[in-house]
Amino acid sequence: MKAPTSPTIPECGVCPNRESSDICQLVPSVEEPFGLIKRRAMYQAGQFVFYEGHVALGLYILCQGRVKLTRLNRKGQQRLVDILDSGQLLEKQAFQEQPVHQVTCEVLEPSQICLLDRTSFLAFLEDHGALAVKLVQVLSKEMTAVLNAADQFAFTPARERLARLLLELSDRFGKHDDAGIRITLKLKREDLAQMTAVTVETLVRLLRDFQEDHLITVHGRELTIMNADRLTKIAGMSPSH
């Protein structure tokens, strides 16, 4: 790995994202006396943390930065599954008996990732049943959210799906300025198309329609939401979404 270009977080106990992360709150901030084995590493944009189909060595937690998860379909085409930011668990396959990565993880910006050894963490859970129950609750909550999102996408038209996606990205990665809500995550058209489950051509047409309706502005890979209220109505969501 390349040398880090931004400050690392030396210990979990001083991590600024710990309190807001469900998964981090379940992991002790120190390794001793719990017998945990943690390995922290810095990655640069464009590097890969793990690949689909490879053996999962443990739990990968994103301490800081952003990554994207992709998966190949039956035709060998890459599909963008999700974008994750600080404090999130990159994948949950480590809990299987013979864990294999179901996605590929690529770094979008300088990121620090903590690898929690699978064997030592499972041994820790065996001795701390209450935390194991909380972990099940956290994973169940995330799975419910995934299923709900899948249902919404399956039964909504492309225009509504794109509106929902833009609002979600603005909630997670948006910054307010004089022009509106600027989405700081610079995604390629292919990425947005994959996340909306449409072709690139359809995505470009929908973005053009939204621009003509003065809902958004697009400059290269930078996108700004100008009228969140109208976009919310198109998405069929409540104003608080």
Side-chain angles (χ1 to χ4, degrees), residues 31 37-41 57 59 113-118:
E31 299 177 38
I37 300 174
K38 301 177 184 177
R39 300 181 181 90
R40 299 174 184 83
L57 302 177
L59 278 74
I113 293 169
C114 176
L115 173 58
L116 197 58
D117 177 74
R118 175 179 181 272

Side-chain angles (χ1 to χ4, degrees), residues 33-67:
F34 302 102
L36 296 174
I37 300 174
K38 301 177 184 177
R39 300 181 181 90
R40 299 174 184 83
M42 198 72 188
Y43 292 81
Q44 302 306 312
Q47 287 189 296
F48 291 86
V49 182
F50 52 75
Y51 295 89
E52 179 181 352
H54 288 197
V55 175
L57 302 177
L59 278 74
Y60 293 81
I61 300 175
L62 183 57
C63 304
Q64 61 180 2
R66 290 175 185 167
V67 303

Side-chain angles (χ1 to χ4, degrees), residues 166-229:
L166 295 180
L167 290 169
E168 178 188 348
L169 293 177
S170 70
D171 281 344
R172 296 176 60 191
F173 308 109
K175 288 187 177 180
H176 290 263
D177 57 27
D178 294 339
I181 307 174
R182 180 170 54 86
I183 298 176
T184 60
L185 193 64
K186 294 179 173 57
L187 294 173
K188 296 183 292 185
R189 296 292 180 269
E190 292 82 359
D191 292 333
L192 287 173
Q194 291 168 19
M195 296 180 77
T196 315
V198 298
T199 64
V200 175
E201 292 76 15
T202 298
L203 184 279
V204 171
R205 176 177 57 80
L206 289 173
L207 288 177
R208 183 174 61 248
D209 291 345
F210 282 1
Q211 288 189 88
E212 292 176 353
D213 290 339
H214 305 289
L215 301 174
I216 65 172
T217 59
V218 180
H219 298 287
R221 292 188 183 181
E222 187 166 291
L223 190 150
T224 300
I225 295 179
M226 301 171 60
N227 195 324
D229 290 339

